[in-house]
Amino acid sequence: GQNIDQPTEMTATEGAIVQINCTYQTSGFNGLFWYQQHAGEAPTFLSYNVLDGLEEKGRFSSFLSRSKGYSYLLLKELQMKDSASYLCAVLNDYKLSFGAGTTVTVRA
Amino acid sequence: EAQVTQNPRYLITVTGKKLTVTCSQNMNHEYMSWYRQDPGLGLRQIYYSMNVEVTDKGDVPEGYKVSRKEKRNFPLILESPSPNQTSLYFCASSLSKFTRAGELFFGEGSRLTVL
């Protein structure tokens, strides 16, 4: 089975940095994915990691440690538009399983 | 414009009345999948399809059926809907090549209420 855990909520100030952690225990692993979902909208793909290490994509970075079953998404220079839910997902063969999501609120 | 289109977007129905939620993508993607999203539970996979005529169960397939007769279409069928199937449903597609299967493009969602 799949067990993917991430914090329920986080709050940060505009311009700050926020780190969203994700831990997973899965029967197989082919990649870890991060999605962003604004309220009332569909999720959109942000980034993925297959190998250990840091992947940087503009203001967003994602890190993976396969041996620890751990990933994080780092959001830098937070903007109000970054207020959203962030979903961690693990690919096992062709099944993509999601965590419950972390709601990030950015305050002015 | 590349997109995944679901219909209907909103539906209220009654227990036992068969319904179909259609899903179509115009990106020539091999992989398609259905998810339901419920508060506190996140997205849970119902069924997925790696290509035409190839489908497999996700984590919560009970009460649902799918078919993949054409590459672009992947309808979700509720033969006898029950109130516990009240949810927000998302269809998604991607290239099926290894990790690309995880880079999903989602439809706008279909909010279903079963009374």
Side-chain angles (χ1 to χ4, degrees):
Chain A
Q2 321 279 42
N3 190 28
I4 302 168
D5 291 316
Q6 48 182 132
T8 305
E9 295 180 338
M10 301 182 76
T11 301
T13 305
E14 196 174 16
I17 298 172
V18 70
Q19 178 175 313
I20 306 168
N21 295 324
C22 172
T23 57
Y24 63 91
Q25 290 176 303
T26 56
S27 54
F29 181 87
N30 294 113
L32 189 134
F33 297 76
W34 286 95
Y35 283 77
Q36 180 189 59
Q37 186 177 23
H38 284 103
E41 297 183 7
T44 56
F45 168 74
L46 282 179
S47 68
Y48 81 94
N49 298 72
V50 178
L51 301 176
D52 291 352
L54 188 68
E55 292 284 340
E56 296 188 81
K57 227 178 179 184
R59 293 189 298 115
F60 294 179
S61 304
S62 58
F63 171 83
L64 174 67
S65 168
R66 289 172 296 169
S67 63
K68 295 182 179 177
Y70 168 70
S71 173
Y72 67 73
L73 180 70
L74 197 68
L75 285 62
K76 293 178 267 191
E77 300 170 17
L78 277 172
Q79 301 175 9
M80 299 300 288
K81 67 178 181 179
D82 297 329
S83 290
S85 185
Y86 292 86
L87 314 177
C88 171
V90 174
L91 183 66
N92 179 11
D93 284 338
Y94 290 95
K95 290 182 64 173
L96 187 68
S97 299
F98 286 81
T102 299
T103 300
V104 172
T105 302
V106 180
R107 292 183 177 165
Chain B
E1 180 190 352
Q3 58 186 6
V4 178
T5 304
Q6 298 177 224
N7 279 296
R9 295 286 315 283
Y10 302 90
L11 179 64
I12 300 174
T13 189
V14 295
T15 298
K17 187 176 181 181
K18 180 180 178 180
L19 70 92
T20 299
V21 186
T22 63
C23 174
S24 180
Q25 51 92 6
N26 63 359
M27 294 168 280
N28 202 35
H29 284 165
E30 299 92 358
Y31 183 91
M32 297 186 75
S33 184
W34 276 101
Y35 287 86
R36 59 178 289 174
Q37 187 172 36
D38 302 288
L41 297 176
L43 284 161
R44 293 180 292 167
Q45 191 173 45
I46 304 171
Y47 270 95
Y48 64 96
S49 169
M50 288 161 55
N51 216 323
V52 176
E53 302 292 1
V54 181
T55 63
D56 207 347
K57 295 177 181 178
D59 295 317
V60 289
E62 296 78 19
Y64 305 95
K65 284 175 59 176
V66 292
S67 68
R68 187 92 182 272
K69 295 186 172 62
E70 305 165 281
K71 198 173 189 178
R72 63 184 293 125
N73 296 323
F74 190 45
L76 179 70
I77 303 158
L78 286 74
E79 293 272 3
S80 182
S82 62
N84 65 12
Q85 292 178 297
T86 292
S87 187
L88 178 60
Y89 291 87
F90 286 104
C91 179
S93 72
S94 69
L95 294 168
S96 67
K97 190 174 180 181
F98 199 51
T99 55
R100 299 301 298 276
E103 296 178 38
L104 293 172
F105 289 80
F106 282 85
E108 292 182 296
S110 296
R111 185 165 292 282
L112 171 65
T113 301
V114 184
L115 302 175

